[in-house]
Amino acid sequence: MKRTIIILVLLVMQLVYSQTKNKTADALFDKMYYIEAAKSYEMSIKNGDVSKEILQRVGDAHYFNTQMENASKWYGKLLADYSNEVSAEYYFRYAQSLQGIQNYELAKKWMKSFSEKQKASDSRGENFSLKTVTLEDIKAIKPQFILENLDINSAYSDFGPMFYKGDLVYSTTVDSSYLKTAKYGWNDQPFLNLQLGKISPTQTDVTFKERFGKEITTQYHEACVAFSPDEKTIYFTRNNYNGKLKRDAKGINNLKMYSAKAVENGNGTVKWENVKELPFNSDNYSVGQPSVSKDGKKLYFISDMPGTIGSTDVFVVDILGEDQYSNPKNLGEKVNTSGREMFPFITDKALYFSSDGFLGLGGLDVFESRLNNEIFNTPVNLGAPLNSNLDDFGYIVNEETNKGFVCSNRKTGKGDDDIYSFERSCTQSIKGYVFDAISNAKIAGAIVTLKNKENQKIDETVSKIDGSYEFDGNIACSTSYTIEAAKDNFATNTKAITTAESSGVIQVPIDLDPALIERKDGLLKIKIGIIFFDLDKSNIRYDAAIELNKVVLLMSQYPTIIIKIESHTDSRANDQYNLELSDRRAKSTRDYIISQGIAPDRIESAIGYGETQLINNCSNGVPCTEVQHQINRRSEFIITKM
């Protein structure tokens, strides 16, 4: 969190603070010198001042510096003593600080309290309500990432990686050349500058090469860069500084985004010239953390400009030409929340960003919003180990290799914020349920089999009491499979699927028809044996009754089924005689079914068609075998409504 506040300094200052009796601490706090402010507030508490204002500020001073153990301690006391007097924001921050120390059970309680207390306009309330997605769901996400801490990391902040000419540009507070003693009061660390690192052949480590972009470096912060596809234009974030540090009406030095052009030197090196502010900057709000689309036509960034939904949102502008841009457009409520969205990275497949406005494992979690016809899908938490109980951000990836870099201030790192390399594996899960195609009732005990394209069995499971099933192993991405479900008294059904390009869960519900039902010629029919009648007769014989009882049984099991009965003859004998005989047999069949307790209105019609609907070429005068004629002598029970 320290570095995210360095990069957009005013954006956590959402609450209107009341002054405390400790004027020295207040002055430090207002200057964002949180380390010293926290010490001063704690001295006031030791001397007996446990007012609401003191507890709020000491908690915030630790919270803004990611000292979650201390933050949770003071927020806990604040809410114990003043729960009815503080805003919902403190419920949120307390829950976040509890996640930061991995006290997830207590965090869940305060998430729900926050959800109940916050304003209806605050999207975090629904996201943190635990109604649709729970912490257990996120913790159960199958691991997709292998992370490695980089050699370039220091005891201070190292973050903001970006690919450049096969190397890595990143931001760091380590500076071996100048301004060694300049410190930033927020976290008592040096100001940020840019460096260039060499990526190892395995893409798992980075070694320092040289300081990057000396021409764009000032005595204040420079960080978070992006490049045009031809790498001749750089976009970067800097304090509002142009020879003089500028502040807004509240005394806050906001951040701005700048561009510069690459000029090739004779020795193959690059010099950055023509530094310009982007036209949508302002002295009154911050703009930063750029990312350029693969085609170079769109520039994504973070801001708290007017029209922002939460603390910071992801915006986009069209790059119209040389130093020309459209008006900024907010990406909307699918991506942005009432919290903080930060560090966007756009590829041709997805938008990756960090947020604390969606339910996650800690402060900032990394989310993925897949692109579908230029529409961003609902963001998905990428789970552990990529995400941790603290802040995880600055995700960049090569979609072809599934390798990239991410930043985190997790306690297992070397210092404050560290950069990690990662390799993302592609894993799939298949979930679904088996259900009765007629009644929609879930079917337990069905055998569900996963097969590869060679029809070889990969896995097998049995549907649970609620009809659900799951395959969660040996499933590759971008691969074709078939899923087969079988159950006694039901017809086996098979579905073909192709898994997605990226990790995820595929939902595959499978419907089973009762064994007595078949789908044929676009119709749903009751499948029974041949109904035999005596020569020139229409009365129901004993063997015919056995078959018709199957129809009765099915209609009793499924009381919404409505049928129509059709009887047919072969072509032998007179046409009119056959028509009348088949009609008598159809109606005799209907009467028998009704006599067994089926309501008359469930039989839509009973009609004989004689030899008018032959299903082969055995018409009048055509010589055919007895077997061929038998095919035409049939009674059909067609389901017209289920």
Side-chain angles (χ1 to χ4, degrees), residues 328-521:
K329 178 184 177 183
N330 190 299
L331 288 196
E333 293 183 353
K334 180 167 282 188
V335 169
N336 293 314
T337 69
S338 299
R340 296 176 302 160
E341 279 65 57
M342 307 185 83
F343 296 94
F345 180 73
I346 189 70
T347 72
D348 56 351
K349 295 181 179 180
L351 173 71
Y352 302 93
F353 64 96
S354 291
S355 175
D356 66 3
F358 295 98
L359 188 63
L361 295 175
L364 292 169
D365 274 19
V366 178
F367 290 82
E368 176 186 61
S369 177
R370 302 296 290 182
L371 266 171
N372 184 14
N373 295 324
E374 298 187 355
I375 302 297
F376 291 110
N377 292 337
T378 300
V380 175
N381 191 301
L382 292 183
L386 185 78
N387 291 318
S388 69
N389 59 308
L390 293 178
D391 288 323
D392 307 285
F393 57 96
Y395 179 102
I396 65 171
V397 66
N398 181 329
E399 297 277 23
E400 301 302 318
T401 63
N402 278 325
K403 293 183 178 182
F405 299 90
V406 71
C407 309
S408 180
N409 65 346
R410 62 190 65 189
K411 296 302 183 183
T412 54
K414 294 180 180 178
D416 183 359
D417 305 312
D418 283 359
I419 305 172
Y420 294 78
S421 67
F422 69 76
E423 181 172 2
R424 184 180 186 181
S425 60
C426 189
T427 59
Q428 294 284 337
S429 295
I430 300 173
K431 295 183 179 181
Y433 55 89
V434 185
F435 67 101
D436 189 315
I438 307 300
S439 68
N440 290 322
K442 302 299 188 294
I443 298 175
I447 297 173
V448 187
T449 306
L450 179 69
K451 298 181 179 181
N452 62 19
K453 61 182 179 181
E454 286 79 29
N455 206 36
Q456 297 169 326
K457 184 170 74 172
I458 301 298
D459 202 352
E460 187 173 275
T461 187
V462 177
S463 61
K464 298 178 182 178
I465 190 69
D466 61 354
S468 65
Y469 73 90
E470 178 178 1
F471 296 113
D472 195 26
N474 302 317
I475 304 171
C477 295
S478 302
T479 304
S480 296
Y481 294 96
T482 57
I483 303 172
E484 180 183 278
K487 170 78 173 177
D488 289 345
N489 300 318
F490 288 89
T492 298
N493 192 13
T494 300
K495 284 197 173 183
I497 63 165
T498 299
T499 54
E501 294 180 356
S502 59
S503 298
V505 178
I506 301 176
Q507 296 286 344
V508 186
I510 304 179
D511 58 328
L512 298 184
D513 288 326
L516 290 176
I517 290 179
E518 65 179 347
R519 298 175 187 270
K520 189 175 182 180
D521 301 326

Side-chain angles (χ1 to χ4, degrees), residues 14-239:
Q14 304 171 66
L15 304 180
V16 177
Y17 292 100
S18 300
Q19 295 295 305
T20 71
K21 295 177 182 179
N22 189 332
K23 303 304 179 185
T24 300
D26 288 346
L28 291 167
F29 187 93
D30 292 342
K31 290 180 181 179
M32 303 178 192
Y33 290 5
Y34 292 123
I35 292 177
E36 296 304 319
K39 293 177 182 177
S40 188
Y41 286 131
E42 287 172 350
M43 185 60 69
S44 293
I45 293 171
K46 187 175 181 180
N47 292 332
D49 185 353
V50 287
S51 64
K52 177 184 70 174
E53 292 74 21
I54 283 282
L55 293 174
Q56 285 180 175
R57 287 206 165 194
V58 70
D60 287 339
H62 288 298
Y63 180 82
F64 294 161
N65 259 340
T66 328
Q67 300 298 321
M68 293 307 193
E69 187 167 352
N70 286 329
S72 63
K73 169 186 172 182
W74 296 118
Y75 285 151
K77 183 166 179 56
L78 172 68
L79 290 168
D81 296 346
Y82 302 101
S83 60
N84 294 325
E85 300 176 37
V86 299
S87 71
E89 190 66 25
Y90 281 104
Y91 286 67
F92 174 77
R93 291 182 184 177
Y94 185 36
Q96 289 258 295
S97 65
L98 288 167
Q99 285 184 282
I101 60 174
Q102 297 182 293
N103 189 344
Y104 290 113
E105 286 304 311
L106 190 55
K108 285 195 294 184
K109 171 191 170 183
W110 288 100
M111 284 176 189
K112 291 180 180 179
S113 297
F114 165 71
S115 178
E116 294 165 358
K117 189 176 178 66
Q118 54 76 46
K119 297 177 181 177
S121 60
D122 191 329
S123 62
R124 291 174 298 173
E126 182 62 28
N127 293 340
F128 282 74
S129 67
L130 309 181
K131 292 178 181 177
T132 55
V133 180
T134 67
L135 280 172
E136 285 73 18
D137 294 329
I138 296 174
K139 290 162 70 176
I141 294 172
K142 191 172 183 178
Q144 305 175 46
F145 297 87
I146 299 174
L147 274 64
E148 296 286 344
N149 193 290
L150 302 184
D151 282 345
I152 57 172
N153 290 316
S154 68
Y156 292 131
S157 287
D158 307 282
F159 70 101
M162 185 56 62
F163 301 114
Y164 175 68
K165 294 185 181 297
D167 290 328
L168 194 74
V169 176
Y170 60 98
S171 308
T172 181
T173 52
V174 173
D175 194 329
S176 60
S177 58
Y178 69 104
L179 295 177
K180 294 182 181 179
T181 59
K183 296 291 184 70
Y184 188 48
W186 186 296
N187 58 0
D188 198 33
Q189 292 189 19
F191 284 87
L192 293 162
N193 290 289
L194 301 172
Q195 292 188 344
L196 186 68
K198 179 178 178 59
I199 301 175
S200 69
T202 59
Q203 301 179 56
T204 58
D205 204 0
V206 176
T207 54
F208 171 76
K209 286 182 68 174
E210 60 189 15
R211 183 150 44 96
F212 180 84
K214 298 177 184 178
E215 306 82 19
I216 61 176
T217 300
T218 67
Q219 60 182 307
Y220 295 103
H221 292 303
E222 282 84 25
C224 296
V225 305
F227 297 93
S228 59
D230 62 7
E231 298 183 318
K232 293 182 178 180
T233 301
I234 186 174
Y235 300 91
F236 62 96
T237 310
R238 176 195 283 172
N239 291 96

